[in-house]
Amino acid sequence: MIRLALVLLLLPRLLWADPSVWRQEWPDTDFSQSAVPDWAEIMSGGPPKDGIPAIDAPLFIPVAEETRIEDEEPVITVELDGQTPRTYPVRYLMWHEIVNDTVGGVPVAVTFCPLCNSGITFDRRVAGRVLSFGVSGKLRNSDMVMYDRETQSWWQQAMGEAIVGDLTGTQLRQVPTWMESWAEYRTRNPGALVMAEPPHNRAYGTNPYRNYDSSRRPFLYNGEMPPHGIAPLARVVRVGSRAWPLDRLAEVQEISETGLVLTWRAGQASALDTGQIAAGRDVGSVRVLDEGGENVAHDVMFAFAFHAFWPDGEWMLGR
């Protein structure tokens, strides 16, 4: 996939930057409505529309029956009040990027953009209707552009905002979920659920972006690099428009600031390091709570992506 995208990177930028070219594939998308200031910001990531197939109505199995996942592998956990916890292994999201599900009557989209390390869960309800999401095959600032099947509008995954089409400017509500290791989730929730392996022919458990998070530059990104000497692929904990460097949090393991309590715990492998996800270096797990102990919506993303989408955001450097 990366090699294909590198070839595409050499093609004329105009092939990516002209809605008249995209209309053949997207005849029902209204390109006259857009929040994108320059169409050249949108690139092909390689696969076409739905070339990375989102998962709809996933199946789940009891935690005790899962034997494929290694202890250190990352999973995205959804724990809603009154509902049996369930988790979505990154070994599947790596290859599908979006899972459309319903948890206790709440329709959610669990999303993961490998190029930004951005794992976010959204409420799929918008203006009285339930949307379902697919992968457009497009990138903006190296971040996945999703689309909804109902209006064919395009959505920026990192922000949960519609950027092209009928719903331009609409914001999805982020659901407070988090990424942790399979061992952490299983130990805390022995009677809970885990997403079953999808019925697709994919190399689940492998990382097609080998050594990506130790690269010097982001892939398919032409924007500004982050300030303060922060490496572009350093992880940051984003809450709203604030970002805490993960290195700072990992050093002290707990930070209490701006009415939040951020904690770090070792034991989660990076999904974007070695060829096998379970063998990735330990980047730890993050939780974010408010002063009342309630989970707070957040994301652990790469620094370049935070700077790209929140250029005026606040860097919580602790200095």
Side-chain angles (χ1 to χ4, degrees):
M1 177 178 173
I2 288 180
R3 289 180 181 176
L4 174 59
L6 283 172
V7 172
L8 290 169
L9 186 60
L10 301 177
L11 296 175
R13 290 286 300 275
L14 290 176
L15 291 179
W16 300 327
D18 186 354
S20 66
V21 176
W22 300 329
R23 285 192 180 98
Q24 184 173 356
E25 186 180 16
W26 300 88
D28 298 319
T29 299
D30 183 359
F31 289 100
S32 70
Q33 301 186 62
S34 171
V36 180
D38 182 355
W39 289 116
E41 293 180 3
I42 296 179
M43 299 182 177
S44 171
K49 178 183 182 181
D50 296 323
I52 297 174
I55 298 295
D56 299 307
L59 299 177
F60 290 84
I61 60 175
V63 162
E65 295 180 13
E66 176 55 63
T67 59
R68 299 179 180 90
I69 305 175
E70 300 291 335
D71 282 354
E72 299 81 9
E73 287 191 44
V75 296
I76 296 179
T77 296
V78 177
E79 295 186 5
L80 301 185
D81 290 344
Q83 302 301 315
T84 301
R86 59 182 66 188
T87 202
Y88 304 76
V90 170
R91 60 164 41 216
Y92 306 141
L93 284 160
M94 182 74 76
W95 297 93
H96 297 282
E97 300 192 359
I98 299 173
V99 178
N100 294 293
D101 197 9
T102 301
V103 182
V106 178
V108 298
V110 182
T111 71
F112 176 67
C113 176
L115 296 183
C116 292
N117 193 66
S118 180
I120 311 176
T121 302
F122 298 107
D123 189 323
R124 295 191 283 120
R125 294 173 293 190
V126 171
R129 75 168 97 182
V130 176
L131 303 180
S132 61
F133 291 92
V135 182
S136 73
K138 302 289 189 289
L139 299 171
R140 179 170 172 245
N141 291 326
S142 202
D143 181 58
M144 169 176 52
V145 176
M146 312 186 296
Y147 78 95
D148 73 77
R149 295 160 178 158
E150 289 69 29
T151 75
Q152 299 290 301
S153 296
W154 293 6
W155 298 75
Q156 195 72 64
Q157 182 262 357
M159 304 178 73
E161 180 181 344
I163 58 171
V164 176
D166 293 345
L167 297 179
T168 294
T170 304
Q171 188 78 44
L172 297 172
R173 183 180 73 85
Q174 186 176 342
V175 178
T177 61
W178 58 91
M179 198 178 293
E180 63 183 335
S181 71
W182 167 240
E184 288 176 279
Y185 175 79
R186 187 188 63 229
T187 299
R188 194 176 64 256
N189 299 301
L193 300 172
V194 55
M195 179 179 161
E197 183 172 285
H200 291 260
N201 184 20
R202 298 291 189 276
Y204 296 125
T206 66
N207 164 31
Y209 308 91
R210 187 172 182 172
N211 298 325
Y212 177 61
D213 67 356
S214 57
S215 301
R216 294 180 64 184
R217 291 187 61 87
F219 186 61
L220 290 178
Y221 177 70
N222 295 319
E224 288 186 353
M225 295 301 163
H228 310 299
I230 297 173
L233 283 101
R235 287 171 169 82
V236 300
V237 184
R238 181 190 67 82
V239 183
S241 60
R242 292 189 173 105
W244 285 259
L246 186 63
D247 286 349
R248 178 193 169 202
L249 176 58
E251 183 177 356
V252 297
Q253 299 192 17
E254 182 173 314
I255 295 173
S256 296
E257 288 178 348
T258 68
L260 301 173
V261 179
L262 294 81
T263 59
W264 180 91
R265 178 179 178 180
Q268 181 190 153
S270 165
L272 298 164
D273 183 19
T274 61
Q276 295 293 320
I277 292 175
R281 71 182 185 281
D282 191 343
V283 294
S285 301
V286 172
R287 294 290 296 272
V288 181
L289 307 177
D290 64 19
E291 292 175 321
E294 296 296 321
N295 290 304
V296 173
H298 66 280
D299 187 17
V300 180
M301 67 194 317
F302 290 138
F304 81 87
F306 174 74
H307 183 57
F309 293 111
W310 289 272
D312 298 320
E314 184 176 2
W315 294 86
M316 308 300 291
L317 305 178
R319 297 172 184 166

